Amino acid sequence: MPSEFNQGLHVGDMENLIAYLRSAPPVDSNHPAPSYGPMLRVVHAANLFPLVAAENVAMNQPPPAVVSAEDTLAYGGYLAVYCSACHMADFAGNEMFGSPNITLHETAVGAWTEDEFVRAVTQGIRPDGITLSSDMPYETFGLYTEEELHAIWTYLQTVEPVAVE
């Protein structure tokens, strides 16, 4: 996971993540040395894609305070940070990554109901029956609670709609 998104975790969630990683059995595998082709080097040189994600971390920024799940809107914003990894900070998507606009504009998910949104992010099926790309981590979102999914939906209701071109 890109480190700039993990920076947004409050201390308690980071402690839980570390505890989980420590409880998991070690994996012993060999990984090939990274290989960067000319296109990736050009994209990096143009500052379109950092090769070292840690370069995007504000090292002196304190961790956020705990966000109560009772504050549905704030909690949804806290959880939606991970959506912005692919769908960008404005949630309008990124053509280069193939991620769609998830703002509530009528050309995006604006006509969807909350149940349709939840089905899409947890099962990978859009309201029109089309299966989402396997790049969408819907199996992971399927582990979210109803409360967490509702909070994300509630937060997305407050995001400025962006037209898809």
Side-chain angles (χ1 to χ4, degrees):
M1 203 56 172
S3 49
E4 67 266 25
F5 296 103
N6 290 325
Q7 180 180 0
L9 286 176
H10 64 71
V11 173
D13 280 349
M14 184 58 77
E15 289 171 345
N16 289 338
L17 178 60
I18 291 168
Y20 168 76
L21 292 173
R22 286 183 175 162
S23 74
V27 176
D28 190 20
S29 61
N30 294 321
H31 296 282
S35 171
Y36 305 113
M39 272 312 289
L40 187 58
R41 290 181 183 152
V42 167
V43 168
H44 176 65
N47 202 28
L48 297 173
F49 185 80
L51 293 180
V52 181
E55 293 174 352
N56 292 332
V57 174
M59 299 294 186
N60 295 322
Q61 180 179 346
V66 174
V67 178
S68 170
E70 292 176 9
D71 183 349
T72 304
L73 185 58
Y75 190 53
Y78 175 72
L79 296 172
V81 166
Y82 288 101
C83 302
S84 69
C86 297
H87 298 280
M88 310 315 291
D90 63 358
F91 301 98
N94 184 317
E95 212 172 294
M96 186 169 85
F97 294 145
S99 61
N101 180 344
I102 60 169
T103 69
L104 296 182
H105 193 273
E106 64 266 8
T107 61
V109 300
W112 294 14
T113 66
E114 182 175 353
D115 287 340
E116 290 169 333
F117 172 79
V118 168
R119 182 175 181 224
V121 300
T122 61
Q123 298 175 28
I125 302 169
R126 293 179 5 169
D128 59 8
I130 293 175
T131 302
L132 297 176
S133 163
S134 61
D135 292 335
M136 172 64 188
Y138 53 85
E139 291 177 356
T140 300
F141 282 106
L143 300 173
Y144 279 40
T145 66
E146 286 181 27
E147 179 182 48
E148 291 167 332
L149 294 164
H150 175 70
I152 293 170
W153 175 253
T154 299
Y155 176 75
L156 288 176
Q157 303 298 307
T158 68
V159 171
E160 184 72 30
V162 177
V164 177
E165 296 191 23

